[in-house]
Amino acid sequence: MSRDIVPQLLQRQLRECRATSICDMSPSENAPLRSKLINCYTQQLSEIELLSSMYPNKEDILFPDNNVLREIKQFVDNKSMLKPNHLDFTLILHINNLKLEISINLPSFYPDVEPNIYLRCNQLNRQQESTLNTDLFIYVKDNHFGAPCLYTAISWIQDNIETYSNKNIQPTTSTVGKPKDKNKEKFVRFWIYSHHIYSKKKRDEITKMAKEYNLTGFCLPGKPGIICVEGTESECNEWWKIIKSMSWKKIAIRKSEIFDLSNQIEEQRFDNFEEMHFQNPSTKHSNHANMSEFSKYMEQCGLIQTFNEFFGLCNNT
């Protein structure tokens, strides 16, 4: 696949996504979808109201977008035709001398679909936190039946957090304990494809955990979402366990590159891990990256062939 073909294919995907926008539909197509969204947003607002009554201090519930509640209310009240952004907030809990930061992202069609809930606590080590989030993900998945479930999920955290804080779960030997086997360790690069990456909390977590595991690479948010991480195989695998435990519509490693650790200096393509943006100023659809500029950046990094192979895999699924 030539370099010029890839941006064309991606731009076609973006046009198809835009064609399903609620604002672009005819009134007959729009009405059922809008009615469903209003029903979902109404339940979301009711649940937020319940949580606000339970946690009344302003410091307890933090919204990165201060306008999102107002925009949702306007949509529900038929005062706006623009579909609001996802409801994204952090609930701060203090339990047994532990400060819990519970990041909650509600997809537009929640509670018909599962919420994304992820917990961070500086007093837990990485393995305790990873195990807790994995079990929380399983609990939400097993107990979500198309109805509001934030209260039950928060209650589960409150009931079980002590178990995880007392568990003797030590960091893996990739960071402490037995020394690494230099003969078996590899240097790897993971190419990860997600249906979309919008949530600020997810994006912050992707970058934060990559830095904690000394990984380099980038995260390109939007639709589709693209992540590239490189580092030792053990550290990349530990990072991936945490990231994939979050609630995603679709996320997968589409391509892995494996090298001898002795060749890391020659094969490493990035100096750090950062979030990338290739905004197309000529389009109003800000959630979509300028893939032509992105492919040029990949060429500068010496990764254009792998980039083309990666999107060839994505287009075949």
Side-chain angles (χ1 to χ4, degrees):
M1 184 181 297
S2 68
R3 184 184 68 193
D4 295 334
I5 294 297
V6 174
Q8 294 175 14
L9 290 172
L10 291 173
Q11 293 301 327
R12 185 177 64 187
Q13 290 178 345
L14 299 185
R15 287 196 299 270
E16 292 171 353
C17 293
R18 293 168 191 164
T20 61
S21 169
I22 188 171
C23 295
D24 295 336
M25 292 181 178
S26 65
S28 60
E29 294 174 318
N30 189 353
L33 178 59
R34 182 177 178 85
S35 176
K36 183 177 181 179
L37 281 170
I38 288 177
N39 179 55
C40 291
Y41 281 132
T42 299
Q43 294 183 75
Q44 292 179 27
L45 290 175
S46 296
E47 204 162 13
I48 292 296
E49 185 177 352
L50 172 63
L51 292 178
S52 297
S53 66
M54 296 170 58
Y55 307 100
N57 295 328
K58 291 184 177 180
E59 297 79 12
D60 293 338
I61 303 179
L62 306 176
F63 293 91
D65 182 354
N66 294 324
N67 296 320
V68 65
L69 287 178
R70 176 178 56 82
E71 292 172 354
I72 290 176
K73 290 177 182 177
Q74 289 179 340
F75 185 84
V76 169
D77 294 338
N78 290 312
K79 295 180 180 179
S80 173
M81 290 297 294
L82 297 177
K83 177 178 170 294
N85 291 326
H86 295 172
L87 191 51
D88 193 5
F89 63 96
T90 300
L91 175 64
I92 308 296
L93 295 183
H94 295 271
I95 304 175
N96 298 334
N97 296 320
L98 299 176
K99 180 183 179 182
L100 310 181
E101 298 181 11
I102 306 173
S103 299
I104 300 173
N105 176 265
L106 303 183
S108 298
F109 289 105
Y110 169 86
D112 290 356
V113 299
E114 298 167 12
N116 174 53
I117 305 176
Y118 190 82
L119 183 148
R120 283 197 55 83
C121 177
N122 290 334
Q123 290 98 331
L124 301 181
N125 65 44
R126 289 193 300 201
Q127 289 304 303
Q128 289 172 320
E129 191 174 280
S130 177
T131 302
L132 170 57
N133 278 300
T134 298
D135 291 347
L136 174 60
F137 171 78
I138 294 172
Y139 174 82
V140 171
K141 195 172 189 66
D142 290 345
N143 291 274
H144 176 261
F145 304 103
C149 64
L150 296 186
Y151 175 74
T152 56
I154 294 169
S155 296
W156 183 89
I157 294 172
Q158 293 173 321
D159 293 340
N160 291 276
I161 184 61
E162 188 174 354
T163 301
Y164 294 90
S165 63
N166 292 334
K167 273 186 176 180
N168 186 24
I169 306 175
Q170 297 299 324
T172 63
T173 55
S174 63
T175 53
V176 300
K178 298 179 181 179
K180 298 177 184 177
D181 188 339
K182 294 292 184 180
N183 295 323
K184 294 182 179 180
E185 188 68 277
K186 299 290 185 180
F187 177 76
V188 302
R189 185 180 300 116
F190 290 166
W191 293 84
I192 298 165
Y193 177 93
S194 173
H195 178 270
H196 64 265
I197 303 176
Y198 293 145
S199 167
K200 185 178 185 303
K201 291 299 180 183
K202 282 184 181 178
R203 289 155 52 188
D204 289 346
E205 198 65 25
I206 288 168
T207 300
K208 184 174 184 178
M209 295 310 299
K211 291 180 178 180
E212 284 192 19
Y213 281 97
N214 299 313
L215 306 181
T216 57
F218 65 85
C219 172
L220 182 70
K223 184 178 182 180
I226 304 165
I227 308 172
C228 177
V229 291
E230 55 182 17
T232 62
E233 186 173 21
S234 57
E235 301 287 9
C236 283
N237 284 332
E238 289 298 320
W239 173 88
W240 175 236
K241 286 180 184 178
I242 295 171
I243 300 306
K244 73 178 181 179
S245 70
M246 301 178 185
S247 178
W248 300 91
K249 181 173 183 178
K250 181 179 182 181
I251 192 169
I253 296 176
R254 288 298 172 83
K255 185 172 180 62
S256 299
E257 299 177 88
I258 304 175
F259 312 94
D260 287 337
L261 190 61
S262 59
N263 294 329
Q264 178 174 350
I265 295 178
E266 293 82 4
E267 298 297 343
Q268 185 170 334
R269 293 292 182 266
F270 305 97
D271 296 326
N272 52 30
F273 190 95
E274 59 183 337
E275 184 171 291
M276 307 293 293
H277 295 276
F278 295 91
Q279 187 59 49
N280 189 340
S282 64
T283 177
K284 63 181 180 179
H285 298 276
S286 60
N287 287 332
H288 302 296
N290 185 329
M291 287 300 177
S292 178
E293 292 299 316
F294 182 40
S295 65
K296 291 178 183 178
Y297 173 72
M298 289 290 94
E299 185 174 24
Q300 294 172 5
C301 295
L303 293 170
I304 189 62
Q305 181 177 348
T306 306
F307 172 76
N308 289 344
E309 293 172 357
F310 170 74
F311 275 103
L313 290 173
C314 294
N315 289 330
N316 290 328
T317 58

